[in-house]
Amino acid sequence: MQGSARVRLEDGRSLRLVYAGRNGWPYTSIGRILIDTREIAQDSMSLAALKQWIRAHGQRPGEEGAELMRRNQSYVFFALAPDLDAEAGPIGGAGLSLTPLRSLAIDRDIYPYGAPIWVDADIPGALPEGRLRRLMIAQDTGSAIVGPARADIFFGSGDEAGARAGAVRHAGEFIVFLPVEEGSLR
């Protein structure tokens, strides 16, 4: 589920859209449904595999692909953002443009925006070197990012970045740097 978008109109113009809210229904992973029903093997699941399955099974009302998408009743609403720089990254939950491979989405009930987070993760297929080891900044969140051991890396915008992000389903480690309260000996 995306929190921002770029829309290319038939006349060639592009529009920027930003997150404006959600309908409040719980998120259901349609990829998980395909794994659980053995339509796609867990080790083969990716965003590309999910899209391919939906396209192959139809997107018109009553077709299997459309029916699968309807099983996730959580919807995001967007607002037009005409003042955004066309080249800037999407706006994250912290209200700032996200930076590829530097911005991280976290659970806001646990970690604050702006927290520096060291990420160490093997992510073969997503990066040429196959490993990400760097300091990132918590700048976004999402309804599917729940719990202390969950974060999402922003890979960038466009088809290539989407394919790279969609291929990631690997565990990693991260260290969150939080300030020590004044007077504490921790």
Side-chain angles (χ1 to χ4, degrees):
M1 191 181 312
Q2 300 299 316
S4 65
R6 292 179 192 193
V7 177
R8 185 167 294 120
L9 303 176
E10 288 182 0
D11 66 7
R13 290 182 302 137
S14 287
L15 300 176
R16 298 277 314 261
L17 303 175
V18 295
Y19 177 85
R22 53 188 300 263
N23 67 351
W25 286 85
Y27 172 78
T28 300
S29 170
I30 59 175
R32 172 56 51 195
I33 292 170
L34 291 177
I35 291 169
D36 291 346
T37 58
R38 302 179 196 265
E39 292 285 331
I40 298 177
Q42 184 164 345
D43 61 345
S44 297
M45 178 54 75
S46 67
L47 180 59
L50 176 62
K51 286 181 176 182
Q52 182 180 20
W53 191 97
I54 290 170
R55 289 179 181 133
H57 289 82
Q59 298 173 59
R60 292 188 179 101
E63 294 181 324
E64 281 185 282
E67 292 304 311
L68 174 68
M69 289 189 294
R70 289 174 51 92
R71 292 190 58 189
N72 178 19
Q73 296 178 347
S74 178
Y75 293 95
V76 172
F77 298 98
F78 296 96
L80 185 60
D83 298 333
L84 287 180
D85 177 0
E87 299 305 312
I91 304 300
L96 304 168
S97 288
L98 302 180
T99 303
L101 300 174
R102 291 294 179 187
S103 297
L104 201 62
I106 45 78
D107 184 338
R108 278 283 287 144
D109 288 336
I110 299 172
Y111 306 114
Y113 287 143
I117 301 173
W118 177 259
V119 176
D120 185 349
D122 288 320
I123 47 177
L127 293 173
E129 58 275 16
R131 185 175 186 109
L132 182 74
R133 297 184 77 201
R134 63 178 57 183
L135 190 65
M136 301 182 78
I137 303 296
Q139 294 182 309
D140 201 11
T141 193
S143 60
I145 302 168
V146 179
R150 181 77 166 93
D152 279 357
I153 299 164
F154 175 63
F155 279 86
S157 300
D159 291 339
E160 182 181 333
R164 289 170 43 198
V168 174
R169 56 181 179 274
H170 304 85
E173 295 181 357
F174 62 87
I175 300 169
V176 181
F177 296 93
L178 298 172
V180 174
E181 291 183 37
E182 189 174 329
S184 172
L185 297 176
R186 291 190 271 163

